[in-house]
């Protein structure tokens, strides 16, 4: 490593006073004091921090840090931390020091194509997965890492790569995947609808801080340009980058996997993790809490007290060190409601709701497309954070929503609190006078004054339908935990425009939602007693 490059890295570590995840700056909760990540010179006397270059797949050089106890007289468990999208290699220094202080060798590295690492951005493609194994190889050859006790962890992009590595490298015994994805297409193309703000943000941040591959640039162009002729290729591109595709290999390798996400994650909604968790057969844990993309982990990147990182260290201690710390005896599904309270433990994801309450949608509604009704799901990377820190989800005055642009169904006021837990599902019959279209469903908690607080939402898009011919629609809204107060109502609103998504409604289109006697429409709401 050249002296200039070493100086650049040290300067970056010392000046990291604001953290940017996936290209967006987060604001801490009121009253929280953020300190910059400590530079190498401030490391504890018994912990060393050094910057290194690691040869990745295909000869690409990866910029990395090794944080480890100074005493290397014995083998120690290894934790590898790939950086988040657009983040520099010093992202995890505060947490790496905590791990090293407790007896780990930690290697954090900049994923290829970003900052000082070589190559181009492959978006968790095969070269990125191969890089993870190359980093493990290097650590075993150049540090006191124990080959029998290897884990991977990360936030966002690093979380996705860590999960994928668990399916490709049998040496990985434990994984902590925070604010990541298991199904990339299911995350940013759910309901066959492009999540425009999420994809645009990732693309812009990648171009600003890295070197996108030609494949990534073309995929983003086709995706955001609604090039349906390339849809099969885009889906295959995403499938290769999804841990769900390699579920059998992950289960066969048997790594202990902990998944954590925020209810309001506007880049990787929680449904992807919930579905994947149910299918894992090895030791596993699932945590959902309030927030937006990576906001739950944010404070921990500065070394602040943070339950997400604390739980992660306990998970690694149990499955890499063998410590009997009790985390494997706790109920494996841990949820925190968006409306307050501590963690709730469940034996499985399917056990989260006590029952499902069906709300009949027995009135036909017709809306005119291409008009924003005023119902919307907010802004990527911001809305969930406002909900987390200020309890301020997107609001809408339900009585004032224009009924020509928004279909609205409401329940009566509930006599008791309704604790919504899990995935709300919509079943309806849709008729359009155009072959293509998009609808967005929103579920609101409506107070006595008619003001609705957004509980959850999801989009759905259709193509090549016969105009005037009804067809069934089944839509899972994004999973959530929300307590509806006694005296409030639930309102389902469906319109055709939301800034988060690309809509496919031709000019002048009309969508009719009906409830045939042979196939009644309904909303299925999971609740906890």
């Amino acid at each position: 490593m050249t002296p200039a490059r070493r100086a650049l890295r040290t300067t970056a570590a010392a000046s990291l006073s604001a953290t940017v995840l996936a290209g967006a700056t987060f604001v801490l909760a009121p009253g929280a004091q953020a300190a910059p990540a400590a530079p190498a010179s401030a490391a504890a006397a018994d912990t060393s921090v050094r910057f290194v270059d690691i040869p990745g797949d295909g000869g690409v050089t990866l910029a990395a840090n090794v944080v480890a106890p100074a005493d290397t007289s014995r083998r120690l468990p290894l934790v590898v931390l790939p950086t988040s999208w657009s983040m520099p290699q010093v992202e995890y220094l505060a947490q790496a020091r905590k791990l090293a202080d407790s007896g780990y060798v930690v290697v954090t590295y900049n994923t290829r194509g970003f900052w000082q690492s070589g190559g181009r951005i492959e978006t968790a493609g095969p070269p990125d997965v191969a890089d993870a194994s190359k980093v493990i190889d290097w650590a075993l050859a150049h540090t006191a890492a124990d080959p029998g006790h290897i884990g991977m962890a990360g936030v966002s992009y690093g979380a996705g790569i860590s999960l994928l590595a668990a399916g490709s490298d049998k040496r990985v015994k434990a994984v902590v995947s925070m604010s990541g994805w298991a199904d990339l297409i299911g995350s940013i193309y759910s309901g066959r609808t492009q999540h425009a703000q999420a994809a645009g943000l990732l693309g812009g941040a990648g171009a600003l801080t890295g070197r996108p591959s030609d494949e990534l640039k073309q995929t983003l162009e086709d995706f955001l340009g609604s090039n349906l002729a390339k849809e099969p290729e885009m889906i295959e591109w995403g499938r290769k980058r999804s841990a769900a595709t390699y579920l059998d290999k992950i289960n066969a390798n048997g790594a202990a996997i902990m998944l954590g996400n925020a209810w309001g994650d506007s880049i990787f909604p929680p449904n992807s993790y919930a579905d994947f968790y149910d299918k894992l057969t090895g030791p596993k844990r699932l945590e959902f809490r309030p927030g937006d993309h990576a906001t739950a982990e944010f404070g921990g990147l500065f070394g602040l007290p943070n339950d997400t990182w604390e739980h992660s260290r306990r998970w690694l201690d149990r499955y890499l060190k063998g410590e009997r710390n009790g985390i494997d005896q706790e109920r494996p599904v841990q949820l925190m409601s968006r409306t307050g309270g501590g963690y709730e433990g469940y034996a499985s994801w399917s056990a989260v709701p006590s029952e499902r309450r069906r709300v009949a949608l027995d009135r036909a509604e017709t809306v005119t497309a291409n008009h924003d009704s005023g119902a919307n799901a907010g802004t990527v990377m911001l809305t969930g954070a406002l909900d987390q820190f200020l309890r301020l989800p997107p609001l809408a005055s339900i009585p004032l929503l224009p009924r020509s642009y928004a279909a609205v169904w409401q329940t009566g006021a509930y006599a008791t609190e309704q604790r919504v837990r899990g995935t709300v599902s919509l079943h309806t019959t849709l008729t359009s006078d155009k072959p293509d279209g998009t609808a967005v469903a929103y579920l609101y908690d409506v107070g006595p004054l008619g003001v609705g607080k957004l509980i959850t939402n999801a989009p759905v898009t259709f193509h090549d339908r016969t105009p005037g011919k009804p067809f069934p629609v089944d839509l899972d809204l994004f999973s959530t935990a929300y307590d509806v107060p006694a005296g409030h109502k639930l309102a389902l609103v469906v319109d055709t425009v939301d800034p988060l998504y690309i809509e496919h409604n031709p000019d002048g289109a009309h969508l009719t939602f009906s409830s045939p006697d042979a196939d009644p429409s309904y909303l299925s709401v999971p609740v906890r007693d």
Side-chain angles (χ1 to χ4, degrees):
M1 184 192 313
T2 66
R5 188 169 182 180
R6 183 180 295 107
L8 178 62
R9 293 192 192 178
T10 303
T11 300
S15 64
L16 187 62
S17 59
T19 297
V20 180
L21 291 174
T25 302
F26 291 108
V27 180
L28 283 176
Q33 298 296 316
S41 60
D46 58 349
T47 299
S48 66
V49 181
R50 58 191 174 104
F51 297 102
V52 299
D53 290 330
I54 295 177
D57 185 59
V60 165
T61 298
L62 304 173
N65 313 314
V66 177
V67 186
D71 180 7
T72 59
S73 60
R74 60 188 179 90
R75 290 286 182 179
L76 300 172
L78 168 68
V79 177
V80 175
L81 299 165
T83 53
S84 303
W85 187 271
S86 290
M87 284 298 295
Q89 71 191 80
V90 293
E91 175 187 10
Y92 299 120
L93 273 185
Q95 289 300 323
R97 284 184 54 200
K98 288 177 181 281
L99 287 166
D101 288 345
S102 65
Y104 288 93
V105 172
V106 184
V107 178
T108 81
Y109 71 95
N110 242 133
T111 47
R112 64 169 54 217
F114 286 108
W115 296 89
Q116 293 171 304
S117 285
R120 294 189 174 274
I121 301 170
E122 299 291 343
T123 324
D128 289 300
V129 180
D131 283 345
S133 291
K134 291 288 187 180
V135 171
I136 292 172
D137 292 342
W138 185 92
L140 294 178
H142 296 89
T143 73
D146 185 339
H149 299 84
I150 297 172
M152 291 196 64
V155 176
S156 185
Y157 193 44
I161 291 173
S162 295
L163 267 185
L164 288 162
S168 68
D169 196 322
K170 294 181 179 180
R171 296 174 296 181
V172 176
K173 305 302 182 186
V175 170
V176 177
S177 183
M178 296 172 274
S179 292
W181 74 93
D183 180 352
L184 188 57
I185 293 298
S187 295
I188 63 173
Y189 195 44
S190 69
R192 209 179 175 188
T193 308
Q194 297 100 322
H195 294 213
Q197 287 189 16
L201 175 62
L202 294 175
L208 182 66
T209 60
R211 300 167 299 283
S213 67
D214 292 340
E215 183 183 30
L216 172 57
K217 289 187 285 188
Q218 185 62 55
T219 300
L220 279 173
E221 180 180 337
D222 292 336
F223 184 78
L224 295 174
S226 300
N227 186 352
L228 294 179
K230 293 292 188 69
E231 185 181 47
E233 294 176 33
M234 290 187 285
I235 290 175
E236 179 60 21
W237 178 87
R239 192 190 70 82
K240 290 180 180 178
R241 291 160 170 80
S242 299
T245 302
Y246 311 101
L247 176 68
D248 289 346
K249 291 183 178 180
I250 291 172
N251 282 335
N253 289 348
I257 294 177
M258 174 177 162
L259 307 170
N261 206 350
W263 293 119
D265 194 317
S266 51
I267 295 181
F268 304 128
N271 302 47
S272 173
Y273 266 180
D275 293 342
F276 183 71
Y277 171 85
D278 267 350
K279 298 171 185 174
L280 290 171
T281 58
K284 58 184 180 179
R285 183 178 175 94
L286 178 67
E287 297 186 353
F288 287 144
R289 50 182 66 84
D292 207 315
H293 183 64
T295 59
E297 299 86 14
F298 174 64
L301 295 177
F302 294 105
L304 299 173
N306 183 276
D307 60 345
T308 306
W309 284 100
E310 179 187 346
H311 297 176
S312 299
R313 289 193 297 273
R314 290 180 64 213
W315 188 257
L316 295 172
D317 288 347
R318 174 64 187 91
Y319 290 102
L320 295 184
K321 289 183 177 180
E323 291 185 2
R324 298 290 178 177
N325 55 21
I327 194 167
D328 56 328
Q329 301 302 310
E330 298 170 0
R331 291 189 175 185
V333 175
Q334 294 287 321
L335 311 182
M336 182 181 291
S337 173
R338 289 171 43 211
T339 45
Y343 285 98
E344 303 168 354
Y346 300 89
S348 66
W349 174 250
S350 60
V352 169
S354 303
E355 63 175 303
R356 300 191 71 91
R357 294 177 184 164
R358 183 172 290 197
V359 177
L361 309 176
D362 52 8
R363 186 184 68 256
E365 295 280 354
T366 298
V367 298
T368 302
N370 292 329
H371 296 276
D372 191 341
S373 71
N376 71 76
T379 303
V380 69
M381 301 290 288
L382 176 62
T383 295
L386 291 174
D387 186 38
Q388 175 185 359
F389 297 131
L390 302 178
R391 303 278 176 84
L392 188 62
L395 305 176
S397 176
I398 304 304
L400 297 182
L401 292 176
R403 295 314 198 253
S404 57
Y405 305 146
V408 180
W409 297 266
Q410 292 191 75
T411 68
Y414 289 102
T416 59
E417 180 182 65
Q418 303 296 298
R419 294 189 286 181
V420 180
R421 299 289 187 275
T423 305
V424 176
S425 300
L426 168 64
H427 173 76
T428 189
T429 295
L430 175 58
T431 306
S432 174
D433 55 7
K434 303 291 183 180
D436 307 304
T438 297
V440 185
Y442 310 89
L443 183 66
Y444 286 98
D445 160 23
V446 184
L449 298 180
V451 175
K453 295 182 178 181
L454 186 66
I455 298 175
T456 182
N457 80 101
V460 62
T461 293
F462 58 91
H463 295 290
D464 301 322
R465 290 289 180 173
T466 302
K469 183 177 181 179
F471 60 93
V473 170
D474 288 287
L475 176 63
D476 284 344
L477 280 64
F478 301 136
S479 303
T480 193
Y482 185 98
D483 299 326
V484 179
H488 285 212
K489 305 175 182 178
L490 287 176
L492 174 69
V493 177
V494 182
D495 71 4
T496 61
V497 175
D498 191 293
L500 284 177
Y501 312 116
I502 292 178
E503 53 90 10
H504 295 263
N505 296 295
D507 290 339
H510 296 85
L511 305 182
T512 298
F513 303 91
S514 59
S515 182
D517 291 340
D519 186 18
S521 295
Y522 61 87
L523 190 71
S524 177
V525 182
V527 293
R528 177 193 178 200
D529 291 336

